[in-house]
Amino acid sequence: MAPVTFDNVSIRYPGAERATVHELDLEIADGEFLVLVGPSGCGKSTTLRALAGLEEVESGVISIGGVDVTGQEPAERDIAMVFQNYALYPHMTVAQNMGFALKLSKLPKSEIDAKVRQAAELLGLEEFLDRKPKDLSGGQRQRVAMGRALVRNPKVFLMDEPLSNLDAKLRVQTRAEVAALQRRLGTTTVYVTHDQVEAMTMGDRVAVLRDGILQQVAPPRELYAHPVNEFVAGFIGSPSMNLFPADGVTVGVRPESMLIAGADTPSTYRRLAAVVDIVEELGSESYVYATWEGHRLVARWDSSAVPAPGDSVELAYDPEGAHRFSPENGERLSSR
Ligand SMILES: Nc1ncnc2c1ncn2[C@@H]1O[C@H](COP(=O)(O)OP(=O)(O)OP(=O)(O)O)[C@@H](O)[C@H]1O
Ligand SMILES: [Mg+2]
């Protein structure tokens, strides 16, 4: 059993004026896939590295499996980390790359072979075991890097943007494979990304970090439906939620809930007279960007009759279903 707990953890780099990670409280359940997401520089890698024992914490307690590991060396923590730049050893075969850490720990060769073979099977790499990394595709190399972590059978997997070297299509495929593999293994995993789509599709729960401060931890659906503040509302979902002032509050309406008014639009909907700026046609749907009273808004539009830039349209939304945030501090004012 390896739940992970951050208890009031602050991390400050030497000489830095303020903490990079500020009083982080986070409980990750045994076997959970927790995604840490947030903009560049918000402290995701720092948090993960602190869990790995690669950064010192200023205050607070980190525990793995109920054991306080705050003062432990990385090697004592029984974790395996996959980095963004997972350099493989070019002169070694796939099998040698995967077994290298085990060889260093002086495991008998027969055991190393068995573990490598098992990991290769899980990752679909059996036929590549004798190849060198240069003779593999990007996705296959990525899987070898995963395999290196896998063979160690750690308590916790830590992954820091492991897919960012892959092209868009391979990324989508590999993220599904990584998520499925994690579920099969049931190993507690903390996965860092700045890509909110990756976060939403992979995580059991998603933790949103901003400027070193945890904003919200919740299952993807809840994060989407009930963002606790304007920041989370704007960060999760693409294109971003429309946020604009109305009736003294900040109203939030997702592009998919923003309509272009027509004959069948209910009379209870609020209408906003806007002028179309840009239309993005994606094939199955279009995004219509329009300006209303100085605010750029976006509506998803499924119809084939797409308005053109310069057209006047009436955007419409259901005020009952809209999110509402405080104009003072951005906190959520109501649940839907
Ligand atoms: N060794 C260091 N010394 C001082 N400051 C650092 C150090 N490493 C990182 N930082 C700073 O800490 C902050 C958080 O960095 P971190 O690498 O954790 O961000 P991140 O969320 O992983 O961003 P990205 O998505 O760009 O990888 C940044 O402002 C960064 O400049
Ligand atoms: Mg990072």
Side-chain angles (χ1 to χ4, degrees):
M1 294 287 282
V4 170
T5 310
F6 289 85
D7 188 0
N8 209 22
V9 170
S10 294
I11 308 163
R12 185 195 305 261
Y13 286 109
E17 226 167 74
R18 52 194 282 273
T20 290
V21 174
H22 190 71
E23 296 178 356
L24 175 65
D25 280 318
L26 183 57
E27 282 187 32
I28 304 162
D30 179 50
E32 183 171 7
F33 195 124
L34 188 282
V35 178
L36 203 51
V37 71
S40 183
C42 71
K44 305 180 294 294
S45 296
T46 301
T47 303
L48 204 67
R49 289 172 55 81
L51 176 53
L54 301 170
E55 302 292 348
E56 220 170 293
V57 309
E58 181 181 44
S59 57
V61 173
I62 299 177
S63 50
I64 299 175
V67 176
D68 180 348
V69 300
T70 320
Q72 284 185 359
E73 292 297 318
E76 295 174 80
R77 298 191 185 196
D78 198 5
I79 45 128
M81 194 153 170
V82 183
F83 294 94
Q84 173 179 348
N85 297 311
Y86 48 77
L88 302 176
Y89 301 108
H91 57 286
M92 292 186 193
T93 64
V94 165
Q96 288 164 338
N97 263 289
M98 283 169 61
F100 190 63
L102 302 180
K103 196 174 164 195
L104 286 184
S105 67
K106 303 236 170 8
L107 211 66
K109 185 167 183 318
S110 59
E111 264 179 66
I112 297 178
D113 287 348
K115 281 176 189 279
V116 166
R117 192 153 293 282
Q118 195 189 3
E121 231 168 83
L122 268 171
L123 292 162
L125 287 171
E126 297 113 304
E127 53 184 307
F128 306 117
L129 281 173
D130 296 324
R131 284 206 203 165
K132 298 275 174 64
K134 70 172 169 48
D135 301 323
L136 298 175
S137 74
Q140 290 160 348
R141 269 181 231 155
Q142 214 292 325
R143 274 183 271 158
V144 177
M146 294 280 300
R148 268 198 316 208
L150 220 62
V151 292
R152 297 177 45 200
N153 194 22
K155 279 208 192 101
V156 184
F157 282 124
L158 307 183
M159 304 187 195
D160 194 348
E161 311 241 9
L163 308 186
S164 45
N165 292 336
L166 305 182
D167 70 40
K169 195 168 171 194
L170 198 54
R171 224 182 135 115
V172 171
Q173 183 191 334
T174 313
R175 84 179 176 219
E177 283 172 8
V178 170
L181 180 65
Q182 191 276 343
R183 258 134 222 160
R184 230 176 315 150
L185 295 171
T187 307
T188 311
T189 300
V190 186
Y191 185 104
V192 161
T193 180
H194 63 266
D195 179 343
Q196 55 96 17
V197 177
E198 218 168 275
M200 295 293 278
T201 52
M202 295 180 86
D204 292 320
R205 285 188 310 157
V206 178
V208 183
L209 206 58
R210 177 198 198 186
D211 286 343
I213 298 172
L214 185 64
Q215 306 288 303
Q216 186 170 7
V217 194
R221 188 183 296 269
E222 190 182 327
L223 216 53
Y224 180 85
H226 295 281
V228 294
N229 60 30
E230 268 187 50
F231 176 80
V232 176
F235 190 76
I236 299 295
S238 177
S240 288
M241 184 188 286
N242 295 292
L243 292 162
F244 52 94
D247 304 330
V249 303
T250 300
V251 169
V253 180
R254 295 211 179 270
E256 49 274 34
S257 305
M258 186 66 91
L259 312 177
I260 294 177
D264 53 355
T265 303
S267 61
T268 53
Y269 279 30
R270 256 205 84 183
R271 290 166 177 251
L272 311 169
V275 177
V276 175
D277 302 313
I278 300 168
V279 178
E280 281 178 355
E281 293 198 51
L282 302 180
S284 61
E285 63 203 21
S286 303
Y287 288 101
V288 177
Y289 293 83
T291 300
W292 162 77
E293 296 190 357
H295 300 280
R296 166 67 71 77
L297 303 176
V298 53
R300 190 172 75 187
W301 186 239
D302 309 325
S303 161
S304 53
V306 182
D311 284 0
S312 291
V313 291
E314 254 190 330
L315 300 177
Y317 67 93
D318 179 3
E320 290 292 309
H323 304 258
R324 296 162 75 243
F325 302 99
S326 158
E328 278 80 45
N329 58 20
E331 298 293 315
R332 180 179 200 84
L333 291 174
S334 62
S335 51
R336 298 182 76 139

